[in-house]
């Protein structure tokens, strides 16, 4: 297929490009490089000079995206480009709505107008378990039927985008020009590719596993646990950590399975929850370093416990996580960060 990957220079988007190129697809990655990196784009270009292209642009730049979709004759969009920090979204909600919704509508305009108004055929959207907010106790592990009630602006941006995309898919049905739409609600994504080429390099870094690894590598003095008084076994939040390559596998299955006129939503998570303390223990085991940890107040917007009920994605797409051992997931992230102590940006 011929695929536009928005946010292609980011952590998850670059892993998607790598896998899709390996599978023989024609890929155009689009990224404003606000948080993405040029280096993985250069690496992928040199490995796949014919089938990979990088466009430095904002995804809300409809004219550029439209030109890209038409010039490269792209039929599928995987939309990863978004701001993705819960805490940051509470501090600057308008920025999150502007980026994750207003810009995404610019992208959708291009998706609608391309190919002489026929539009693209397939759209795969990075949604989030943050759309569920704090699920009721009897809905944990969380199925797709769980009511969606976010606790943060970030979660709302993802939920609003789901509604916008469904409405757009309905319009395409009315036009007798059906779209295949899949919305994948990610749980917490972690790890690096098995070849050790790509990794997670955010500035600022706020995600638990990379922050803990930075503490283990001596790049920060200590780590704070945001909330130790939650109603969980050890008082800390519970999350479901899915390996990035397993997550991309779900995208490939969705792309190959969802048919025109179908609108699907799947949770992507391994189906097992780990507390913050359990994650820190794993990073300490994997690194062999007992870094200092401090108790800190709760972080605004955090849900108490979120882990997936993977039944639907298993039975419908045939997806199952291949890496479910938390130490194995953490090891892949640790190995990349150890080998690239300065991330992508500087010489390591
Ligand atoms: N967390 C923490 N200390 C940190 C970073 C994260 O205690 O330095 C906690 C956070 O409150 C949440 C969990 O780790 O309960 C996962 O947070 P992360 O930011 O990695 O992902 P999120 O679930 O917000 O998407």
């Amino acid at each position: 297929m011929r695929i536009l990957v928005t946010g292609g220079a980011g952590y998850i988007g670059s892993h998607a490009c790598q896998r899709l190129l390996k599978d023989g697809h024609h890929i155009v990655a689009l990224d404003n490089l606000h948080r993405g990196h040029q280096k993985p784009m250069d690496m992928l270009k040199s490995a796949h000079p014919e089938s990979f292209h990088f466009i430095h642009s904002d995804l809300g730049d409809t004219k550029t995206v439209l030109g890209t979709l038409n010039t490269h004759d792209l039929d599928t969009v995987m939309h990863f480009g978004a701001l993705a920090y819960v805490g940051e979204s509470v501090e600057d909600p308008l920025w999150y709505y502007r980026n994750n919704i207003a810009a995404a509508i610019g992208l959708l305009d291009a998706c609608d107008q391309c190919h002489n108004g026929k539009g693209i055929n397939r759209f795969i959207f990075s949604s989030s378990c943050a759309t569920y907010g704090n699920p009721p106790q009897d809905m944990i592990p969380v199925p797709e039927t769980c009511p969606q009630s976010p606790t943060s602006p970030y979660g709302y941006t993802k939920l609003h985008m789901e509604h916008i995309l469904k409405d757009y898919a309905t319009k395409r049905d009315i036009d007798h020009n059906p779209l295949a739409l899949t919305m994948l609600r990610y749980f917490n994504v972690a790890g690096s590719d098995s070849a050790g080429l790509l990794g997670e390099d955010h500035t600022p870094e706020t995600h638990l596993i990379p922050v803990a690894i930075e503490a283990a590598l001596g790049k920060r003095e200590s780590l704070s646990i945001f909330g130790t008084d939650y109603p969980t076994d050890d008082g800390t939040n519970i999350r479901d950590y899915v390996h990035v390559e397993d997550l991309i596998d779900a995208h490939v299955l969705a792309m190959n399975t969802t048919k025109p006129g179908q609108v699907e939503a799947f949770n992507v998570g391994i189906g097992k929850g780990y507390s913050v303390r359990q994650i820190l223990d794993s990073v300490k085991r994997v690194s062999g370093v007992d870094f200092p940890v401090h108790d800190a107040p709760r972080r605004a917007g955090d849900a108490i416990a979120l882990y997936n009920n993977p039944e639907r994605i298993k039975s419908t797409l045939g997806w199952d996580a291949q890496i479910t051992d938390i130490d194995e997931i953490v090891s892949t992230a640790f190995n990349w960060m150890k080998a690239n102590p300065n991330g992508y940006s500087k010489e390591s």
Side-chain angles (χ1 to χ4, degrees):
M1 287 176 205
R2 303 179 70 83
I3 308 165
L4 178 72
V5 178
T6 75
Y11 164 50
I12 300 174
S14 60
H15 280 84
C17 292
Q18 183 192 52
R19 164 70 191 270
L20 294 166
L21 287 162
K22 191 167 145 255
D23 289 356
H25 299 288
H26 182 97
I27 302 301
V28 180
L30 184 119
D31 203 296
N32 61 11
L33 296 181
H34 174 66
R35 289 203 164 138
H37 299 277
Q38 182 69 46
K39 192 168 165 190
M41 300 295 86
D42 295 342
M43 284 160 54
L44 292 170
K45 182 72 186 168
S46 80
H48 305 272
E50 303 296 324
S51 52
F52 181 73
H53 300 272
F54 172 62
I55 310 280
H56 184 184
S57 166
D58 199 277
L59 60 90
D61 179 347
T62 304
K63 197 169 159 219
T64 300
V65 180
L66 183 57
T68 303
L69 292 169
N70 282 331
T71 309
H72 288 271
D73 197 18
L74 305 177
D75 50 38
T76 300
V77 172
M78 286 197 188
H79 175 37
F80 297 94
L83 297 168
Y85 293 145
V86 167
E88 189 178 69
S89 79
V90 175
E91 285 157 21
D92 199 344
L94 299 184
W95 184 35
Y96 267 65
Y97 286 115
R98 197 176 309 117
N99 260 278
N100 292 4
I101 297 184
I105 290 173
L107 165 72
L108 284 179
D109 277 331
C111 292
D112 188 50
Q113 292 162 21
C114 66
H115 312 319
N116 295 317
K118 192 171 172 302
I120 53 142
N121 297 339
R122 271 169 233 92
F123 197 97
I124 295 139
F125 174 57
S126 305
S127 188
S128 171
C129 68
T131 60
Y132 294 119
N134 274 314
Q137 270 306 315
D138 61 347
M139 287 258 176
I140 299 174
V142 187
E144 287 80 356
T145 49
C146 180
Q148 290 174 289
S149 180
T151 53
S152 69
Y154 167 68
Y156 271 110
T157 66
K158 293 293 177 181
L159 181 57
H160 290 321
M161 276 308 297
E162 287 198 8
H163 290 306
I164 290 165
L165 285 165
K166 279 190 232 168
D167 289 344
Y168 175 58
T170 302
K171 177 247 181 210
R172 291 276 302 255
D173 282 344
I174 292 166
D175 291 350
H176 303 291
N177 180 23
L179 176 75
L181 171 62
T182 319
M183 298 171 292
L184 297 175
R185 297 177 188 151
Y186 308 169
F187 283 67
N188 291 49
V189 186
S192 295
D193 74 295
S194 44
L197 296 172
L198 303 173
E200 188 168 8
D201 176 8
H202 295 122
T203 308
E205 186 53 80
T206 67
H207 287 131
L208 180 63
I209 290 178
V211 165
I213 292 172
E214 283 181 5
L217 292 173
K219 290 191 70 190
R220 59 174 82 211
E221 279 180 11
S222 63
L223 179 141
S224 297
I225 301 183
F226 299 139
T228 53
D229 59 348
Y230 283 102
T232 59
D233 282 351
D234 67 14
T236 66
N237 288 153
I238 293 173
R239 295 286 182 275
D240 178 326
Y241 295 85
V242 58
H243 190 267
V244 63
E245 290 188 312
D246 279 328
L247 175 82
I248 302 306
D249 202 39
H251 289 71
V252 171
L253 290 167
M255 178 174 76
N256 294 335
T257 308
T258 307
K259 300 274 176 289
Q262 268 185 298
V263 173
E264 297 284 357
F266 298 104
N267 289 345
V268 195
I270 66 173
K272 189 165 181 224
Y274 291 93
S275 72
V276 173
R277 288 198 199 282
Q278 286 176 316
I279 294 297
L280 298 183
D281 287 346
S282 171
V283 175
K284 288 182 179 185
R285 272 194 304 275
V286 167
S287 65
V289 180
D290 187 11
F291 49 87
V293 171
H294 304 295
D295 293 357
R298 293 182 178 193
R299 186 176 69 176
D302 274 341
I304 301 164
L306 281 169
Y307 58 97
N308 185 28
N309 175 345
E311 283 317 311
R312 181 155 199 276
I313 190 165
K314 277 187 187 173
S315 60
T316 313
L317 292 186
W319 180 87
D320 208 354
Q322 299 303 302
I323 308 182
T324 53
D325 178 66
I326 193 63
D327 285 6
E328 200 178 336
I329 294 174
V330 167
S331 291
T332 63
F334 178 75
N335 292 340
W336 189 82
M337 289 179 69
K338 193 171 176 204
N340 300 272
N342 296 314
Y344 285 122
S345 41
K346 293 140 232 122
E347 289 304 315
S348 300

